[in-house]
Amino acid sequence: MVATCLHLVGFVSSFVGWIGVIVATATNEWVVTCGYTITTCRKMDELGSKGLWADCVMATGLYHCKPLVDILILPGYVQACRALMIAATVLGLPAVFLLLTVLPCIRMGHEPGTAKYRRSQLGGILLILLALCGVVATIWFPVSAHRETTIVSFGYSLYTGWIGSALCLFGGCVIVCCSGDAQSFGENRFYYASGSSSPTHAKSAHV
């Protein structure tokens, strides 16, 4: 029962974290840039934000973005961080699907617990890889951007990426390390053999 609860906690935290990684990938406010203080830049309408897909200017009543579409002139760190975040987003799809199929409320025929255990472990490993991609990208980007321009603060996209990656790493580690053994995995509930309603044919696992 404890292993089942830990598995559910790992799945929920990982799913929320994956959504956070998607939001961080899709938005552009990773770092806030300014050559002066924030107050001065706001008065001079020179406060900007930098992301994976666009450079933006945040002026009074105006939010204008210039898309970064010319791959040949983009800095290497921007392209690398794009690839890492896209990889993290894509890795979340099979990970979430695998973990959905091994939830205690889902049963596919008379599948043995060892098969569900393997899928659970694979899903957990994919989540850890997802988290590592997100962590590397969200640390690499602000460090490299600071060498090009003056960063006055981190944007909400970067915080979202950090939190999402941390949740995925936590959830993946919980799923991989705390899901019990292969023999008892997924057999902590009662069910009846097909074609029989007699309780004497019920199978159960010791909780």
Side-chain angles (χ1 to χ4, degrees), residues 7 11 94-103 119-120 123-124 127 175:
H7 187 275
F11 172 76
V96 170
F97 175 76
L98 288 170
L99 295 176
L100 277 174
T101 62
V102 299
L103 288 177
R119 290 206 305 276
S120 174
L127 286 172
I175 290 170

Side-chain angles (χ1 to χ4, degrees), residues 47-78:
L47 191 63
S49 66
K50 190 176 183 66
L52 297 178
W53 312 102
D55 289 339
C56 302
V57 176
M58 296 179 288
T60 304
L62 175 67
Y63 189 83
H64 175 70
C65 292
K66 178 184 176 182
L68 302 175
V69 295
D70 196 341
I71 299 178
L72 297 178
I73 64 174
L74 281 179
Y77 74 92
V78 175

Side-chain angles (χ1 to χ4, degrees), residues 11-179:
F11 172 76
V12 172
S13 62
S14 300
F15 183 77
V16 174
W18 179 50
I19 298 300
V21 169
I22 294 175
V23 171
T25 305
T27 52
N28 289 307
E29 198 167 328
W30 279 51
V31 292
V32 178
T33 60
C34 177
Y36 311 97
T37 63
I38 293 183
T39 304
T40 303
C41 286
R42 288 188 185 278
K43 291 180 179 178
M44 300 174 62
D45 290 340
E46 292 186 7
L47 191 63
S49 66
K50 190 176 183 66
L52 297 178
W53 312 102
D55 289 339
C56 302
V57 176
M58 296 179 288
T60 304
L62 175 67
Y63 189 83
H64 175 70
C65 292
K66 178 184 176 182
L68 302 175
V69 295
D70 196 341
I71 299 178
L72 297 178
I73 64 174
L74 281 179
Y77 74 92
V78 175
Q79 300 186 44
C81 290
R82 278 184 181 182
L84 287 170
M85 294 302 289
I86 292 173
T89 302
V90 173
L91 284 172
L93 289 172
V96 170
F97 175 76
L98 288 170
L99 295 176
L100 277 174
T101 62
V102 299
L103 288 177
C105 57
I106 296 178
R107 182 172 186 81
M108 296 186 294
H110 295 283
E111 185 180 36
T114 53
K116 300 188 73 172
Y117 178 80
R118 293 192 191 99
R119 290 206 305 276
S120 174
Q121 294 295 295
L122 179 58
I125 292 172
L126 290 177
L127 286 172
I128 293 175
L129 292 176
L130 182 163
L132 292 177
C133 289
V135 168
V136 172
T138 52
I139 292 177
W140 189 358
F141 188 92
V143 171
S144 298
H146 186 62
R147 297 173 182 172
E148 291 185 342
T149 184
T150 303
I151 295 178
V152 294
S153 67
F154 298 136
Y156 74 90
S157 302
L158 201 62
Y159 288 116
T160 304
W162 282 338
I163 295 172
S165 299
L167 287 174
C168 288
L169 183 61
F170 168 76
C173 290
V174 168
I175 290 170
V176 170
C177 301
C178 305
S179 292

